Amino acid sequence: LEPWIPAVSVVPAVLFLLFLRSMWGLDSGGHWSFGGPWGLRASCDRRIPAIPEGVHFCAFPVSLRSSGLRFSASQPSLAVPAIPVFPITLLSRIPCGEFGLRPGGSFHLDLGVLEVSDLLSVYEDYLKIEKRASANTVSSYLRDVHQFAAAMGNKGVELAQVVTQEVEDYANSLVKRGKSPATVTRSVASIKSFYSCLMGKGYVSVNPAKGVAPAKVERKLPQVLTSKEVELFLEQPECTDLKGYRDRAMLELLYATGIRVSELIELDVDDLNLPGGVLKCFSKGKERMIPLYPTAIRALGEYINNVRPQLVDSAEETALFVNMSGERMSRQGFWKLIKHYQEKAGIQKDITPHTLRHSFAAHLLENGADLRSIQEMLGHADISSTQIYSKLINQKIKDVYKKAHPRA
């Protein structure tokens, strides 16, 4: 037998293996274990027939794929869930002694583990495109998984090799660091979602977070404003300049519809139907229609017809609410606006953009609206999220009873 009999091309395969040797330090021996920029691992899982002493060659195919590399003595190529970037297959007789393959030995090298940054990119696309998650959800979940990946990296554990015990240990470590049950629960949910994504795309075979129980969260009743406090708060923007008209319209719309601040700043002019008195709101791939009360319609009409044209720089700007520079309003900008008017009104409660959403739902329920209608307007996927307002009303009744009943 001749030591070099190329089936396709000898030179590319040899150069490629020499490159691997130089990059990841392949050493002699039948079993290899080494690390590299992709967290590579090598193992022996297939016997090669005994070769006469002194003859150093073997034959194996090479399949290069987008998610890594795989060398195998048994398969000419492997199907990969990801789209191949370099669909190259080489079949060559390669001198084995150079790379530590000996008579009767075996060879299996799997480089199918991506870098952490690549896995996180896959997950980010999954959240944005497949799940249609909001920007805040994407940011929160990615932050949780980044922190988990860093913790696993410090332990020397690859993300693809994580087991349930390690997820549980990580959750317990968050508790020991003083994280709230809600934070721990969200972190576990993020990790579970991450591995669910990887399973669906074929990067892992099991979800190590599936059996991890979430932390027990004591759900607090939301803080709401009284009707008088809402009236006081909405009166704070003074309609004497462009900013005052804009702010009044924003606050009226927020209380009139109960939409999230993320939904508020994403609204376009076309989402508003003032003649019909309704707002069209898109969230998580779903559309819902929410009615508007007359005061909100008037405030929005004044803003759209007289104020907004003076604020926008371009006729192509579609944002309903813009800042004083003519660009779409940001979450941070609206947060500052809320805090400014809370201080101006002298309201002691801590008011956030979500406070008006809670107040909207509680006041509707208090005045006879049914839970299903409120669920629809709030955009809750599960009725249990809306039922918290029933508990709020029941608690209010109990408080009134304790204060008013002579024997309470």
Side-chain angles (χ1 to χ4, degrees):
L1 295 175
E2 296 180 8
W4 298 93
I5 304 177
V8 177
S9 174
V10 174
V11 176
V14 173
L15 292 177
F16 183 71
L17 290 174
L18 287 172
F19 167 74
L20 286 180
R21 186 186 188 198
S22 64
M23 281 293 292
W24 294 298
L26 306 189
D27 52 16
S28 62
H31 288 73
W32 292 338
S33 180
F34 51 89
W38 296 337
L40 310 182
R41 290 292 180 270
S43 63
C44 298
D45 67 350
R46 184 172 177 84
R47 303 294 298 176
I48 295 177
I51 303 173
E53 195 68 27
V55 179
H56 300 287
F57 72 90
C58 64
F60 56 89
V62 181
S63 178
L64 181 58
R65 56 183 181 165
S66 63
S67 60
L69 306 172
R70 184 184 292 272
F71 294 81
S72 174
S74 60
Q75 296 175 325
S77 63
L78 294 172
V80 191
I83 299 175
V85 177
F86 304 105
I88 301 173
T89 300
L90 301 175
L91 181 60
S92 304
R93 291 183 180 275
I94 308 300
C96 302
E98 180 71 17
F99 300 97
L101 296 184
R102 297 175 178 176
S106 61
F107 179 72
H108 179 191
L109 174 60
D110 189 355
L111 311 186
V113 181
L114 289 173
E115 292 185 33
V116 171
S117 60
D118 292 326
L119 292 175
L120 290 173
S121 295
V122 169
Y123 182 50
E124 182 175 2
D125 291 340
Y126 165 79
L127 291 174
K128 290 180 177 178
I129 300 172
E130 297 185 34
K131 303 301 289 184
R132 295 183 179 180
S134 67
N136 286 335
T137 299
V138 173
S139 176
S140 297
Y141 275 39
L142 285 177
R143 182 173 60 251
D144 291 338
V145 176
H146 267 289
Q147 293 171 354
F148 175 72
M152 293 301 101
N154 291 336
K155 294 174 63 176
V157 178
E158 297 171 4
L159 289 179
Q161 305 300 323
V162 169
V163 296
T164 299
Q165 185 60 53
E166 284 158 340
V167 180
E168 291 178 345
D169 291 345
Y170 176 72
N172 291 333
S173 72
L174 293 179
V175 174
K176 292 178 181 178
R177 285 159 48 191
K179 300 297 182 180
S180 69
T183 298
V184 177
T185 297
R186 192 200 64 213
S187 294
V188 171
S190 300
I191 298 168
K192 190 177 297 183
S193 169
F194 172 65
Y195 280 105
S196 176
C197 163
L198 296 189
M199 279 186 65
K201 298 185 180 302
Y203 293 112
V204 297
S205 57
V206 295
N207 188 334
K210 185 177 181 180
V212 178
K216 292 184 178 180
V217 180
E218 182 182 350
R219 192 166 187 181
K220 298 180 180 178
L221 294 177
Q223 179 174 257
V224 301
L225 301 177
T226 65
S227 297
K228 290 184 178 180
E229 287 173 332
V230 169
E231 291 295 330
L232 177 62
F233 184 69
L234 296 181
E235 290 173 356
Q236 295 313 303
E238 298 178 5
C239 295
T240 57
D241 55 15
L242 300 180
K243 184 177 182 301
Y245 277 103
R246 182 206 64 186
D247 294 353
R248 173 68 67 85
M250 291 182 76
L251 296 183
E252 288 284 2
L253 180 61
L254 200 62
Y255 180 63
T257 60
I259 60 176
R260 305 172 180 89
V261 63
S262 57
E263 296 169 339
L264 178 75
I265 62 176
E266 288 298 322
L267 289 175
D268 291 331
V269 175
D270 292 342
D271 295 329
L272 197 60
N273 181 354
L274 290 182
V278 293
L279 173 73
K280 181 172 59 178
C281 183
F282 292 92
S283 178
K284 299 180 180 179
K286 297 181 180 179
E287 176 184 312
R288 63 187 194 272
M289 305 295 289
I290 311 172
L292 301 168
Y293 53 67
T295 306
I297 294 174
R298 285 196 298 271
L300 288 164
E302 292 174 348
Y303 165 72
I304 291 176
N305 296 324
N306 304 320
V307 176
R308 186 180 176 280
Q310 300 182 58
L311 293 177
V312 294
D313 292 329
S314 171
E316 297 179 354
E317 177 61 66
T318 61
L320 176 58
F321 293 110
V322 297
N323 57 27
M324 301 309 291
S325 299
E327 301 173 343
R328 187 179 291 272
M329 174 69 70
S330 66
R331 287 177 59 91
Q332 294 80 2
F334 188 71
W335 184 276
K336 292 178 181 178
L337 181 152
I338 289 284
K339 290 302 178 183
H340 168 72
Y341 290 123
Q342 174 193 342
E343 184 178 348
K344 185 178 178 184
I347 298 174
Q348 298 302 312
K349 294 177 181 176
D350 183 27
I351 301 177
T352 68
H354 229 61
T355 303
L356 288 178
R357 178 174 167 86
H358 291 320
S359 301
F360 161 85
H363 294 167
L364 281 177
L365 189 61
E366 195 173 15
N367 286 284
D370 63 277
L371 277 177
R372 286 293 179 185
S373 297
I374 297 174
Q375 176 192 4
E376 181 68 24
M377 287 184 278
L378 291 176
H380 284 162
D382 194 328
I383 190 66
S384 62
S385 299
T386 316
Q387 287 172 338
I388 189 70
Y389 299 108
S390 294
K391 296 180 181 179
L392 184 67
I393 299 302
N394 291 338
Q395 184 61 49
K396 183 177 180 181
I397 293 174
K398 289 180 181 178
D399 292 341
V400 170
Y401 178 85
K402 289 180 180 178
K403 290 180 180 179
H405 197 288
R407 296 179 67 84

